[in-house]
Amino acid sequence: MFRSSLLKPEDEDTELTKKIKENTLHYMTEKYSDPDKDELLDIASLMDPRFRTTYINPTRVEYIKERAVTELLSLITTEPGTVVPVRQEEEVAAAEPGPVLKKRRSLSSFFPKKTPAPSSLSKADRIRTELATYLLISEISEDADPLQWWKKHEENFPRLCKLARKYLSIPATSAPSERLFSVGGGVVTCHRASLKPDAVDRLVFLAKNLQM
């Protein structure tokens, strides 16, 4: 978009305007020429329900999807949806003291229950299926909050939400950290230069969160 329209020189542009556009585009090209940074931005875009693969280079989409699957495999320590064994009513009754009451059986109790066969899909295949389902959902409004969207759809995408929390929580600018340095400079002064690091951490935390 920057190359094709926003920063593209026009015939009616002055020499100063053309120079500004050229320098701005050169700066952005140089800034985002790092492959690691491009990969980070591509995965963050993939996890943003407003954009997904819209602004990812089409030749890199499949690579970024596999990169997300690989990272999710390393993030997942316990598979969601693990069945927790539940004690049957007969076991509970046998374990608890008291008179044993004969339980009346209904007609449906004589029909055996079919236990669903365990899924033969591997963890990687389950993640790929979840990712494919996520990409089929229509994009949300550009003004929507992606973190709120993931909070609402966490049950539908229990694995992908882990990756979304990791990448979408990255601050877009360094302004918050710069503000913390300013607060720290007000805490550690020449008259309070002997404060221990733990004390400084607590004082900075209180200074930033006291009004909450």
Side-chain angles (χ1 to χ4, degrees):
M1 188 184 300
F2 281 111
R3 293 178 183 276
S4 61
S5 59
L6 295 179
L7 295 177
K8 184 179 180 180
E10 303 290 345
D11 295 335
E12 61 272 13
D13 289 344
T14 64
E15 289 299 323
L16 177 61
T17 303
K18 292 180 181 180
K19 191 66 175 177
I20 292 174
K21 288 183 176 180
E22 180 184 347
N23 290 341
T24 303
L25 185 58
H26 175 73
Y27 169 78
M28 294 184 65
T29 303
E30 184 178 348
K31 182 177 179 63
Y32 294 104
S33 60
D34 182 9
D36 294 335
K37 187 179 295 184
D38 285 343
E39 187 171 297
L40 185 149
L41 293 173
D42 285 341
I43 296 181
S45 177
L46 180 68
M47 291 295 100
D48 194 324
R50 300 171 297 177
F51 311 124
R52 295 173 191 158
T53 60
T54 303
Y55 298 108
I56 300 177
N57 190 327
T59 61
R60 287 174 52 84
V61 170
E62 292 303 320
Y63 166 75
I64 293 299
K65 288 163 64 175
E66 284 301 313
R67 172 71 175 77
V69 171
T70 303
E71 186 164 353
L72 267 174
L73 286 173
S74 64
L75 284 177
I76 296 175
T77 54
T78 56
E79 184 70 12
T82 303
V83 178
V84 179
V86 180
R87 292 175 17 177
Q88 299 295 329
E89 293 182 6
E90 290 83 357
E91 296 178 2
V92 175
E96 296 177 354
V100 179
L101 300 178
K102 186 176 180 180
K103 183 180 178 181
R104 298 181 61 181
R105 300 180 65 182
S106 62
L107 180 61
S108 60
S109 65
F110 291 93
F111 294 93
K113 295 181 180 179
K114 294 183 178 181
T115 304
S119 176
S120 59
L121 293 176
S122 63
K123 287 185 178 182
D125 290 335
R126 293 176 189 176
I127 294 173
R128 291 189 185 97
T129 302
E130 192 172 303
L131 181 59
T133 306
Y134 161 70
L135 293 176
L136 289 174
I137 298 177
S138 58
E139 295 177 355
I140 63 176
S141 170
E142 293 182 356
D143 297 328
D145 186 346
L147 292 177
Q148 289 295 327
W149 187 92
W150 278 109
K151 183 177 180 181
K152 181 179 179 181
H153 295 83
E154 183 175 0
E155 293 184 358
N156 304 103
F157 307 105
R159 302 171 185 88
L160 291 181
C161 69
K162 299 177 183 292
L163 200 61
R165 277 197 294 263
K166 177 179 178 179
Y167 281 92
L168 298 184
S169 62
I170 301 174
T173 67
S174 61
S177 58
E178 295 292 342
R179 294 192 187 100
L180 281 178
F181 282 121
S182 299
V183 174
V187 170
V188 183
T189 63
C190 59
H191 298 291
R192 307 176 71 187
S194 299
L195 289 171
K196 293 184 178 180
D198 291 341
V200 174
D201 288 342
R202 290 194 292 269
L203 290 172
V204 171
F205 177 82
L206 290 173
K208 292 296 293 182
N209 297 278
L210 194 58
Q211 297 179 354
M212 295 181 62

